[in-house]
Amino acid sequence: MLKREENPFQALGLKSWLVKQLKKLGLKETTPIQQNCIPSILEGKDCIGAAKTGSGKTFAFALPILQKLSEEPVSHFALVLTPTHELAYQISEQFLVAGQPMGIKVCVVSGGTDQIVEAQKLMQRPHVVVAMPGRLADHLTGCKTFSFDNLKFLVVDEADRMLNGDFDESLEIIENNLPKSRQNLYFSATMKDFIKESSIFPIGKECFEWSQESQVATVETLDQRYLLCANYDRDMVLVEALRKYREDNESANVMIFTNTKKYCQLLSMTLNNMGIENVCLHGFMRQKERVAALNRFKSKLVRTLIATDVAARGLDIQSVQLVMNHHLPRTPKEYIHRVGRTARAGRKGIAISIFRFPRDLEMLAQIENAINTKLTEHPIDQRMVERIFMQVNVTRRESEIQLDNNDFDERAQNYRRKQWILEGKDPDEMENLYKKKQKDKIRELKRQRKERLKSLESNEASTLRQDERFKIVDKEKFQRVNKKLKTKLNEKSSSKLKKPEKTDKRFQIS
């Protein structure tokens, strides 16, 4: 009689009830980070784990914590720290579904909701607390209605971002309220030396370290492409590329990334006004709005999500087939996180990034060096881009007027002032400091842009222009396109803008 083959999760030392629950969830195979980290965590060792996005990092720490919790079911057993609201809720959901047989209680502390309501949930003795550092620090300094005396696990997710210095003040408050005897688990997409050398959270001498060895920073199932555009037709290129993709993939979920909260809102309004139904996600939205938008996208009620980098890390939405970079990320590392929202867990996906030619070739060179992969050109009909130029431009201008009427800038200012008041700072003083920093930032960006343009002929971008992909690109053609589009804009600006028809079936994209 043939011996029954052992379940991969059971082979790691997980109990049968947990293996059975994972089977119900459709998880049959372990990932490399789970294979390497789970046994060491079960043995009681501190752990640092690094692997590509979509590699199953959350279950790598959640499963051993759940098993240990089942042996000693006490409140405030584990604390998970994470940098974004969306990731906090996603991690809590994964704890809840995997720990459902034992009736696990999870509390999310992320701000965006009434602090008193959060305090009441913390008093209800949850087993696991998933928190953003700032809001948890506020609870720890503002009231003593709960404690972490029973804490056995501290998890720092997205550790490369959490320990880079931005959260140090809040993390120090948290560390002072945690027991010294505990397991520390750090997980990230990239291994950084400062994670191991953190002065805030100690790491054990017997710490287990594991990093996924790969020369390519993105997964093999991801098809990475670029689109070249002129300075004035980025929006039109995006709309045409999205329209063409939807013709062949009507039911696919698409994520579009842009760089600022205001432009995220503006692009969302522009596309909605063109009949391209979407939801947006950025930091100035209320927590209820953010959760509702994400749930509509996850449930496929709306198939296009426009977001800032709040959605770039950790979010696991299985149905995302296309990621588009409308505005380029500021660093290659953020590019890796953004495109990691698709092609997860062995599935295929496409990432399309829009580059202005030739000024963005420097960033393209940096990205390709970081991921050790060359992007391929995504085909697009340039004649269609020019045909829809005025339609998209007029709709965007109308959206800008609508956005101004909604007092977006005033709402953003009120949001900042509220945060400063909660932190006990003078809002007027901080507002003046903020405006000064913004002016300095704009000045510095202009200076850097000038330097890049000066050195364009002698740096990596110059080398990249000798690449076979760009030898046939006509620089003068893009200059002519810029001139032509600029002329169109000036002509229309001096006359009354006629609202274009929005009933064109080509743009009725849901």
Side-chain angles (χ1 to χ4, degrees):
M1 188 175 178
L2 292 173
K3 186 178 179 181
R4 189 176 181 181
E5 190 175 336
E6 189 177 23
N7 182 284
F9 286 100
Q10 201 158 12
L12 299 179
L14 295 175
K15 297 289 179 65
S16 57
W17 72 268
L18 199 47
V19 173
K20 186 177 179 181
Q21 180 65 8
L22 293 173
K23 192 174 180 180
K24 283 183 181 179
L25 297 174
L27 296 174
K28 300 176 182 178
E29 298 295 332
T30 56
T31 65
I33 194 168
Q34 293 165 359
Q35 294 164 11
N36 285 275
C37 293
I38 288 176
S40 295
I41 297 173
L42 290 174
E43 290 172 10
K45 295 180 181 178
D46 285 2
C47 178
I48 299 176
K52 299 174 185 177
T53 56
S55 58
K57 288 191 292 291
T58 303
F59 275 154
F61 62 76
L63 297 179
I65 287 175
L66 287 170
Q67 177 153 311
K68 291 291 185 180
L69 176 62
S70 69
E71 298 167 0
E72 186 184 356
V74 296
S75 65
H76 301 91
F77 184 82
L79 169 63
V80 183
L81 298 176
T82 188
T84 69
H85 297 262
E86 288 70 32
L87 195 48
Y89 279 93
Q90 180 174 287
I91 291 170
S92 72
E93 288 170 3
Q94 291 181 293
F95 267 102
L96 287 168
V97 296
Q100 187 268 333
M102 61 175 291
I104 187 173
K105 292 197 293 183
V106 182
C107 174
V108 177
V109 178
S110 65
T113 55
D114 194 317
Q115 192 166 344
I116 295 175
V117 174
E118 285 184 344
Q120 290 172 340
K121 290 179 180 178
L122 285 165
M123 291 169 61
Q124 292 170 2
R125 301 173 63 81
H127 300 112
V128 177
V129 176
V130 185
M132 290 180 65
R135 178 50 73 94
L136 183 60
D138 291 341
H139 282 284
L140 291 170
T141 53
C143 63
K144 294 292 181 182
T145 55
F146 70 98
S147 78
F148 285 111
D149 291 345
N150 295 329
L151 189 84
K152 297 295 185 292
F153 287 93
L154 169 67
V155 182
V156 182
D157 195 29
E158 300 293 341
D160 60 328
R161 180 175 172 188
M162 294 287 289
L163 301 176
N164 68 359
D166 293 345
F167 299 94
D168 281 2
E169 186 178 339
S170 298
L171 294 178
E172 285 177 3
I173 294 171
I174 294 169
E175 169 61 18
N176 291 334
N177 286 272
L178 301 183
K180 305 305 176 188
S181 177
R182 64 174 191 257
Q183 273 183 261
N184 297 294
L185 312 178
Y186 302 112
F187 284 83
S188 175
T190 52
M191 184 73 79
K192 298 289 184 182
D193 289 338
F194 61 74
I195 296 175
K196 211 167 23 175
E197 298 165 2
S198 171
S199 59
I200 299 173
F201 296 135
I203 195 77
K205 292 181 180 179
E206 300 298 318
C207 172
F208 173 78
E209 296 178 41
W210 185 83
S211 178
Q212 188 175 43
E213 297 296 333
S214 175
Q215 292 183 332
V216 180
T218 50
V219 294
E220 292 78 7
T221 53
L222 177 62
D223 180 2
Q224 300 178 77
R225 305 178 184 180
Y226 67 85
L227 262 173
L228 300 180
C229 73
N231 289 338
Y232 294 93
D233 65 350
R234 191 205 309 261
D235 292 351
M236 302 77 194
V237 167
L238 173 84
V239 170
E240 174 57 18
L242 182 58
R243 179 197 70 80
K244 188 68 175 69
Y245 181 80
R246 284 288 192 213
E247 278 187 356
D248 304 321
N249 304 273
E250 187 179 349
S251 61
N253 273 16
V254 177
M255 291 184 73
I256 302 172
F257 283 100
T258 190
N259 280 349
T260 67
K261 303 175 186 73
K262 186 170 184 177
Y263 206 91
C264 177
Q265 186 73 41
L266 176 60
L267 183 62
S268 175
M269 293 168 66
T270 301
L271 295 188
N272 271 322
N273 288 338
M274 289 188 67
I276 305 175
E277 187 180 8
N278 70 85
V279 290
C280 66
L281 190 67
H282 57 74
F284 281 157
M285 294 170 65
R286 297 178 181 88
Q287 186 58 35
K288 285 183 179 179
E289 295 172 336
R290 292 167 72 164
V291 171
L294 202 54
N295 286 340
R296 289 184 71 196
F297 183 64
K298 282 184 174 181
S299 61
K300 300 184 180 182
L301 291 174
V302 177
R303 298 187 180 276
T304 303
L305 172 68
I306 301 170
T308 59
D309 283 330
V310 297
R313 285 174 175 258
L315 286 185
D316 186 13
I317 304 171
Q318 294 184 4
S319 56
V320 175
Q321 293 172 249
L322 171 66
V323 168
M324 298 188 74
N325 283 312
H326 178 239
H327 280 94
L328 295 177
R330 294 178 178 88
T331 65
K333 185 172 77 171
E334 287 305 320
Y335 170 87
I336 293 169
H337 283 293
R338 285 184 181 185
V339 301
R341 296 315 98 212
T342 186
R344 299 176 68 83
R347 293 181 289 271
K348 293 182 179 180
I350 301 174
I352 302 173
S353 301
I354 300 175
F355 294 85
R356 293 166 298 177
F357 186 83
R359 64 188 298 177
D360 288 336
L361 285 187
E362 181 185 20
M363 176 54 76
L364 176 58
Q366 292 176 14
I367 288 171
E368 291 186 339
N369 285 340
I371 65 176
N372 198 27
T373 301
K374 285 189 179 294
L375 278 62
T376 57
E377 186 171 14
H378 183 74
I380 190 171
D381 188 343
Q382 190 62 40
R383 291 173 302 175
M384 280 299 301
V385 173
E386 293 187 21
R387 278 183 62 185
I388 65 173
F389 177 80
M390 286 314 304
Q391 179 183 3
V392 177
N393 184 65
V394 171
T395 308
R396 175 181 164 171
R397 290 190 176 197
E398 290 173 343
S399 300
E400 284 177 336
I401 295 169
Q402 187 181 348
L403 189 62
D404 288 339
N405 291 337
N406 289 337
D407 298 322
F408 186 89
D409 289 331
E410 185 179 337
R411 184 176 172 183
Q413 184 184 34
N414 291 338
Y415 179 89
R416 291 194 301 270
R417 293 177 71 87
K418 181 180 177 182
Q419 295 303 309
W420 290 326
I421 291 170
L422 289 173
E423 293 169 8
K425 299 174 182 176
D426 184 334
D428 294 325
E429 183 181 330
M430 293 302 296
E431 185 65 32
N432 291 332
L433 184 62
Y434 172 81
K435 288 178 179 178
K436 183 180 181 301
K437 284 183 177 179
Q438 289 300 103
K439 287 181 181 178
D440 292 342
K441 184 178 178 181
I442 292 170
R443 195 178 297 117
E444 177 62 18
L445 288 172
K446 286 181 178 178
R447 186 191 66 78
Q448 291 177 2
R449 191 178 299 121
K450 285 181 180 178
E451 286 186 358
R452 284 199 301 269
L453 290 173
K454 284 180 182 178
S455 61
L456 194 62
E457 298 303 322
S458 59
N459 61 13
E460 288 176 323
S462 177
T463 304
L464 196 60
R465 284 174 65 179
Q466 303 306 314
D467 190 297
E468 292 295 329
R469 293 171 294 171
F470 303 108
K471 279 183 179 179
I472 60 172
V473 176
D474 184 357
K475 182 180 177 181
E476 291 184 0
K477 171 191 168 185
F478 279 91
Q479 291 174 338
R480 288 195 301 272
V481 170
N482 267 330
K483 188 175 180 180
K484 181 179 178 182
L485 299 182
K486 191 173 182 179
T487 302
K488 274 189 177 183
L489 286 175
N490 291 335
E491 288 174 354
K492 288 295 180 182
S493 296
S494 59
S495 62
K496 187 177 179 180
L497 291 174
K498 182 181 178 181
K499 191 173 182 178
E501 291 293 328
K502 297 180 185 175
T503 55
D504 192 322
K505 292 183 179 179
R506 293 170 303 175
F507 305 111
Q508 300 301 310
I509 307 174
S510 60

